[in-house]
Amino acid sequence: MAPDASPSPQPVRSQCPYCGVGCGLEMLPPRPSAAAAAPGASGQSAPAGPWQARGDRLHPSSLGQVCVKGATVGESLDPGRLTHPLYRSSRDQPFERISWDQAFELLVERIQTTLASKGPGAIAMYGSGQFLTEDYYIAQKLFKGALGTNNFDANSRLCMSSAVAAYRRSFGSDGPPCCYDDLDLADGVLLIGTNTAECHPVLFQRLLKRRKRNPGSVRIVVVDPRATATTAAADLHLAIASGTDLALLHGVAHLLLRAGALDRPFMEAATEGFEAFAAHVEPWTPERTAAICGIPEQQLQAFAEIWAGSAAMLSLWSMGLNQRAEGTATIGGLINLHLLSGQICRPGAGPFSLTGQPNAMGGREAGGLAQLLPGYRSVGDAGHRAEVEQAWGLPPGAIDSSPGLAVWQQIEAMEAGALDLWWVAATNPLVSLPDLTRVRAALARCPLVVLSEAYAGSETAAAAHLVLPAAQWSEKEGTMTNSERRVTFCTAFRPPPGESRPDWQVFAELGRRLGHGNLFPAAATAADVHAEFVALTAGRLCDLSGLSHRLLAEAGPQQWPFPPGTPPGGEARRLYGDRHFPTPSGRARFLCDAPLGLAEPPCERFPLVLTVGRYLGHWHTMTRTAQVARLSAQHPEPLLEIHPNDALAHGLADGGMARVHSRRGSVSVRVQVTPRIRPGTLFLPMHWGASQVQACEANLLTHELACPHSLQPELKAAAVWVESLA
């Protein structure tokens, strides 16, 4: 090396802040250029450029792989950032810059007034899987501990709550039993309700690379009304009618029973309810199932044969099952197949939910839903409440025994004038919630809407009174847990812009100003918060009590359960390997739910079914990815996918403009005529909210009807009609 050459910058290891795959990243600091080294005419140095991202080959979840979003995440960190608190007393006024002290004074005054006049039930927060676990945990301590309300919900309610409810119904507890290594070990893989190639691309590429190395090693079944990059790799694609997934699974169970493809020793040792389940699926003959699903009977038979003929069968799903009015029941039907055939509790086999947000799993561990407490505890369990009260130093009975308001219940509370403060943090519900017209009207009735956000100009900011600048991933220390229960330490490798602060510090400071300094020590660090949280998980299914920031920083990402004394390493840890489940009997349960179909089926007036989803290059509501020119160029506008038969019937032309109507609203969008989608079904991307140049608010069209078990709305199906705008 030449004497004057500067050494190569050292990368910082972290986890990607996009989807629940939780890929490892190495972030490379900007290398100063010659222009940056010499001050310009203005006396200011030229910008050094963004941080660069590359895959971390040592991360056991992703093994160095990264998708286009993760590869460009450094380009999103600076543009469009909020840097100071902003306030307006009325939405018809412009925002004005205020100090943090003024912001805290506003919050304290509103909270104290509300507690005195209406009680803690008139305060609510809606958080996000973009939180680090430390943010999630301190939010629970503030709301469920200090304020005495369980009104904390998160966008896991729109994402993973049906999976949570299904795991609890079948197994007795949340917690995916599988790990990513199972992708390398299964010889049969079912992808149902997931466009994995676009929504979880690194996992999908891992599956394809395995098959390329060893042709014939794995057979892939995909269930999806659309033909996608995922279905292109399928050995069998079942383009079923929307809302018939549970009927399909019952039909497969019927065929497995008919063929005797059962694992009776496993069922006798580890399950209960088989006889009732067998009687329940007996009427689901191939003829009936195929007719309801709208597929050839031969495809149903082929699916059952692949399942029965696989030594290790792995099933993966995401929003296509979760975001259904019968989402929990459908996932239960999928788990039934695994219990029936013994395809669980061993390598390469089992039901495996693919998490949407990067830290939705960590949020569930920390108690980040309205019915949860830290450590996979329930607010309805007196013993669980007592354990948390003791850990937090609260008097007995301090934690409310009733579940708090889920996010749609929070909207209904605002409609009724029962909510005085709604605090949104690290999410953008004015794009992601259903029936947006109704949501906007509800927010207009709330006296104080607070938004903690990293980026300026979001749709939710347009409805807020107080906007707080948040330090995001890369600017604060903490942990995230991915879909396979692997915890990664994310360091702060750049300063927060302006006056932005980590969410957990804001929550803790507010707690102190409300008089709860004993719960929120001023000297606490993120490592202290993490240590307090993991101590509460000791002995629970999600035992993280052997982990610390220091261990994770030194030994790398670790998978739970990880009690003290566990040796660090990248090896896979599966749940229920001993065939014992956390139910009262210790057995997994067969469930008997009748398929009901769509909550809003098509009719003469609204004859088509709209489904929504994601594009590869964008993330949720685009607050981050819209900052990256390469990603916007990849997907410059939303497109309405429609089958040629439906386009002809409604007078639509490829490339033309259409107006899509539901019972709740309408949107205009460019048309893409394609045979890749099932007749009678339309597809829209969910990303483009009102603030985008190519605005197309898909959730103006969707409804709030939800799964009774999970309270997750059926965002994946709404009845619509369409007309040409030519």
Side-chain angles (χ1 to χ4, degrees):
M1 179 183 292
D4 59 348
S6 59
S8 298
Q10 293 300 306
V12 177
R13 300 181 70 194
S14 190
Q15 176 183 314
C16 179
Y18 285 115
C19 79
V21 174
C23 297
L25 295 182
E26 288 186 336
M27 301 300 299
L28 297 164
R31 181 186 285 276
S33 63
S42 66
Q44 298 296 320
S45 296
W51 284 74
Q52 300 297 312
R54 69 187 183 197
D56 179 2
R57 295 178 181 273
L58 299 180
H59 197 290
S61 290
S62 52
L63 306 174
Q65 301 302 301
V66 64
C67 79
V68 64
K69 294 190 294 295
T72 57
V73 68
E75 300 173 36
S76 73
L77 298 179
D78 288 313
R81 294 296 299 275
L82 284 163
T83 55
H84 303 90
L86 304 171
Y87 176 68
R88 59 185 177 184
S89 59
S90 173
R91 292 182 183 86
D92 58 7
Q93 298 175 346
F95 281 110
E96 294 183 2
R97 177 176 168 177
I98 63 172
S99 69
W100 272 104
D101 277 338
Q102 290 173 302
F104 282 121
E105 288 169 5
L106 285 164
L107 287 167
V108 168
E109 180 183 5
R110 168 56 60 190
I111 290 172
Q112 290 178 336
T113 299
T114 298
L115 291 175
S117 61
K118 293 186 178 179
I123 301 168
M125 174 173 279
Y126 182 54
S128 163
Q130 294 287 320
F131 275 167
L132 300 182
T133 302
E134 292 74 4
D135 300 320
Y136 260 120
Y137 177 71
I138 294 299
Q140 306 318 300
K141 206 173 183 184
L142 174 64
F143 273 73
K144 297 172 182 176
L147 297 180
T149 176
N150 293 328
N151 290 346
F152 179 99
D153 214 38
N155 57 18
S156 282
R157 184 70 61 188
L158 306 184
C159 173
M160 299 308 298
S161 57
S162 289
V164 172
Y167 284 141
R168 290 180 63 89
R169 290 180 80 212
S170 295
F171 300 149
S173 177
D174 186 11
C178 304
C179 58
Y180 294 164
D181 285 0
D182 291 322
L183 289 164
D184 304 325
L185 301 172
D187 59 349
V189 174
L190 168 64
L191 303 172
I192 180 170
T194 168
N195 181 10
T196 322
E198 294 196 68
C199 299
H200 298 89
V202 168
L203 294 185
F204 189 71
Q205 289 301 315
R206 179 170 178 169
L207 190 61
L208 294 191
K209 288 178 181 179
R210 175 201 168 186
R211 191 165 65 174
K212 184 176 180 180
R213 289 192 306 266
N214 188 6
S217 60
V218 59
R219 291 178 293 178
I220 300 174
V221 179
V222 180
V223 179
D224 194 326
R226 297 170 68 215
T228 65
T230 304
T231 64
D235 297 282
L236 177 64
H237 172 208
L238 289 80
I240 64 172
S242 293
T244 63
D245 306 79
L246 183 54
L248 174 76
L249 297 169
H250 282 356
V252 173
H254 176 102
L255 288 171
L256 294 179
L257 284 165
R258 180 187 292 185
L262 317 177
D263 187 336
R264 290 195 177 275
F266 171 81
M267 287 195 296
E268 291 172 0
T271 72
E272 60 188 12
F274 167 69
E275 291 79 8
F277 172 71
H280 181 70
V281 299
E282 196 278 331
W284 287 94
T285 62
E287 299 80 6
R288 179 188 183 197
T289 302
I292 289 176
C293 295
I295 58 173
E297 191 176 325
Q298 294 85 346
Q299 286 192 342
L300 182 66
Q301 296 278 0
F303 180 9
E305 289 169 6
I306 290 175
W307 191 288
S310 298
M313 190 74 195
L314 181 69
S315 60
L316 303 107
W317 76 91
S318 191
M319 299 309 111
L321 294 193
N322 292 338
Q323 291 176 339
R324 295 286 192 186
E326 55 181 15
T328 303
T330 302
I331 299 164
L334 180 58
I335 293 173
N336 285 340
L337 294 185
H338 286 276
L339 299 180
L340 188 68
S341 53
Q343 296 281 10
I344 192 172
C345 303
R346 53 190 176 84
F352 194 2
S353 54
L354 297 180
T355 311
Q357 289 270 3
N359 198 33
M361 184 74 70
R364 287 141 64 184
E365 297 157 8
L369 284 172
Q371 75 277 14
L372 300 179
L373 291 171
Y376 279 1
R377 292 177 173 88
S378 170
V379 300
D381 186 301
H384 290 177
R385 295 195 305 275
E387 291 166 354
V388 177
E389 287 164 352
Q390 183 176 16
W392 287 349
L394 298 173
I399 296 176
D400 192 351
S401 62
S402 301
L405 299 176
V407 62
W408 192 258
Q409 294 169 328
Q410 294 176 8
I411 299 300
E412 292 174 329
M414 282 185 276
E415 287 179 322
L419 215 58
D420 278 5
L421 185 155
W422 195 48
W423 192 340
V424 177
T427 188
N428 193 12
L430 267 295
V431 179
S432 58
L433 285 180
D435 197 352
L436 289 176
T437 301
R438 184 175 170 187
V439 173
R440 290 192 179 101
L443 266 63
R445 301 204 61 192
C446 187
L448 184 62
V449 175
V450 182
L451 173 65
S452 295
E453 176 59 86
Y455 293 93
S458 74
E459 290 80 0
T460 303
H465 301 96
L466 176 64
V467 178
L468 305 177
Q472 65 161 318
W473 166 90
S474 78
E475 300 154 4
K476 56 184 178 181
E477 289 191 342
T479 60
M480 293 197 286
T481 310
N482 71 1
S483 291
E484 67 164 347
R485 297 174 280 106
R486 195 174 296 276
V487 184
T488 298
F489 175 66
C490 301
T491 190
F493 56 83
R494 62 194 304 274
E499 297 178 8
S500 55
R501 299 185 181 185
D503 293 293
W504 75 265
Q505 291 184 10
V506 174
F507 303 152
E509 174 65 18
L510 178 59
R512 288 190 291 271
R513 292 187 182 225
L514 287 166
H516 300 282
N518 58 317
L519 294 179
F520 307 101
T525 65
D528 297 330
V529 173
H530 181 263
E532 180 182 317
F533 158 63
V534 297
L536 260 174
T537 70
R540 306 292 299 166
L541 180 73
C542 60
D543 193 335
L544 301 100
S545 58
L547 295 177
S548 66
H549 279 194
R550 180 176 179 179
L551 184 149
L552 292 167
E554 293 176 351
Q558 306 296 320
Q559 193 180 26
W560 64 256
F562 199 100
T566 304
E571 74 279 3
R573 293 186 171 88
R574 297 175 181 85
L575 300 182
Y576 316 129
D578 60 357
R579 299 187 174 190
H580 182 84
F581 296 87
T583 61
S585 66
R587 295 170 175 265
R589 308 178 182 109
F590 281 98
L591 300 174
C592 300
D593 293 296
L596 301 176
L598 298 178
E600 186 181 74
C603 62
E604 184 176 353
R605 183 182 172 202
F606 298 97
L608 303 171
V609 175
L610 173 72
T611 188
V612 300
R614 299 202 326 235
Y615 284 162
L616 172 63
H618 277 308
W619 174 249
H620 286 195
T621 69
M622 294 168 59
T623 49
R624 188 183 276 127
T625 56
Q627 313 297 329
V628 182
R630 277 189 281 175
L631 300 180
S632 294
Q634 184 175 349
H635 304 286
E637 65 175 332
L639 296 173
L640 176 74
E641 292 185 16
I642 185 169
H643 190 273
N645 294 351
D646 295 322
L648 181 64
H650 293 84
L652 303 181
D654 188 58
M657 296 297 293
R659 189 84 179 160
V660 187
H661 303 261
S662 78
R663 290 176 172 87
R664 291 153 294 280
S666 62
V667 299
S668 298
V669 62
R670 193 172 304 283
V671 174
Q672 183 179 41
V673 178
T674 172
R676 297 183 306 159
I677 194 163
R678 181 185 172 90
T681 303
L682 307 179
F683 172 83
L684 275 178
M686 60 158 288
H687 309 292
W688 276 265
S691 72
Q692 303 299 328
V693 175
Q694 300 285 353
C696 176
E697 297 179 276
N699 281 330
L700 283 175
L701 308 174
T702 56
H703 61 77
E704 84 286 358
L705 300 175
C707 171
H709 301 286
S710 67
L711 304 183
Q712 182 160 0
E714 188 168 81
L715 291 169
K716 279 292 182 277
V720 299
W721 68 275
V722 63
E723 63 177 333
S724 171
L725 287 183

